Amino acid sequence: MILVENAVISDDIKEQLFVCDLEACKGACCVEGDLGAPLEDHELKELEDALEAVKPYLSEEGLKAIEKEGPYIIDFEGDYSTTTIGNRECAFSIYDEKGILKCGIEQAYRDGKTTFKKPISCELYPIRITKYDHYEALNYDRWSICSAACTLGERLGVPVYKFLKDALIRKYGEAWYNELCKEIEGS
C-alpha cells in the first residue's frame, strides 16, 4: 500500500499495466455493470448546470431516460450515479461512427459547450475510490472487459498511475500526483 495525504493507494495501481483500447472493447465500461457512473456530491450541480449544453450530443434513448428519471439516480446504498438506458448503458453515452461508446458530456466539453468534463469516476477508471471517514482507498478494479487494455498497457509498458495522470491530477492536484510518483519511483 502507498500512502499519500488522505489516500491509501493499492499496489496494483503502480504494478498493473493498463491503457484503454477502445478499438477492442468499444467502450464496454459505459454499458456493463449494474449502475451508471458513480457521481460525487459536487458533481450533481455540475451535471445539472451542463445538462442543456450536453443534450444536443445525446441519443434519443438517452434523452428519454433523463427526461423520465433525471440526469442521476440515488442507488440502494444512497450513492448517486448517472441515469441509464434500460439499466444498461449510461444515458450520457453516445456511439461514434465506428460503433464505439463515448461520453456525450466529454464531447460537449471538448467542443467548448461546458466546463464539466465528465464524472471523475469515469475519467479515473479502472481506479475505484472508496471513501471512509478519514481517508479514501484507491483500488484497481479488475474486469474482464478490460483485458485488451491490460494487453495494450503491457505492450506499451504503462502502469495505471501513469495512464491516469491527468485524471489523478484533476481529482487530487499536481502536488499530490508528484508525491505519488515520488513514493512509487523512490526519487
Side-chain angles (χ1 to χ4, degrees):
M1 296 299 239
I2 304 156
L3 299 173
V4 179
E5 295 177 13
N6 69 331
V8 178
I9 302 114
S10 77
D11 289 336
D12 284 341
I13 291 170
K14 76 174 180 182
E15 296 166 358
Q16 182 65 45
L17 303 176
F18 189 100
V19 173
C20 281
D21 188 350
L22 289 173
E23 293 293 324
C25 74
K26 307 290 187 208
C29 60
C30 296
V31 178
E32 300 300 327
D34 52 357
L35 292 167
L39 294 166
E40 296 191 359
D41 290 345
H42 70 88
E43 290 180 313
L44 304 178
K45 179 159 178 23
E46 291 178 80
L47 183 57
E48 289 169 354
D49 291 348
L51 190 57
E52 289 307 311
V54 170
K55 281 182 177 179
Y57 294 86
L58 304 182
S59 68
E60 186 177 324
E61 296 83 9
L63 289 168
K64 285 180 183 174
I66 292 166
E67 185 177 308
K68 181 181 177 188
E69 297 185 42
Y72 53 83
I73 61 151
I74 301 174
D75 70 18
F76 58 92
E77 293 180 342
D79 297 320
Y80 294 98
S81 64
T82 57
T83 299
T84 59
I85 302 168
N87 295 320
R88 293 286 296 155
E89 70 259 29
C90 174
F92 294 95
S93 62
I94 53 175
Y95 287 94
D96 72 8
E97 63 282 348
K98 295 179 183 178
I100 297 172
L101 272 173
K102 298 202 173 163
C103 180
I105 302 167
E106 185 173 17
Q107 190 57 55
Y109 171 83
R110 289 176 186 234
D111 289 346
K113 306 294 183 187
T114 180
T115 58
F116 182 48
K117 186 174 184 182
K118 65 180 353 179
I120 192 67
S121 65
C122 297
E123 193 173 356
L124 279 170
Y125 199 79
I127 292 176
R128 284 292 185 221
I129 299 173
T130 305
K131 294 182 182 199
Y132 296 97
D133 288 341
H134 302 292
Y135 68 96
E136 295 182 343
L138 283 70
N139 290 292
Y140 171 72
D141 187 32
R142 295 179 192 281
W143 200 2
S144 62
I145 64 171
C146 293
S147 62
C150 295
T151 301
L152 183 57
E154 286 174 21
R155 194 174 50 160
L156 299 174
V158 178
V160 170
Y161 79 96
K162 286 188 178 179
F163 173 68
L164 295 175
K165 175 183 178 178
D166 291 342
L168 287 165
I169 289 172
R170 177 181 164 206
K171 171 73 175 156
Y172 294 105
E174 195 157 356
W176 184 95
Y177 183 78
N178 291 338
E179 183 64 27
L180 173 66
C181 292
K182 198 164 128 184
E183 289 292 323
I184 290 172
E185 298 162 9
S187 53

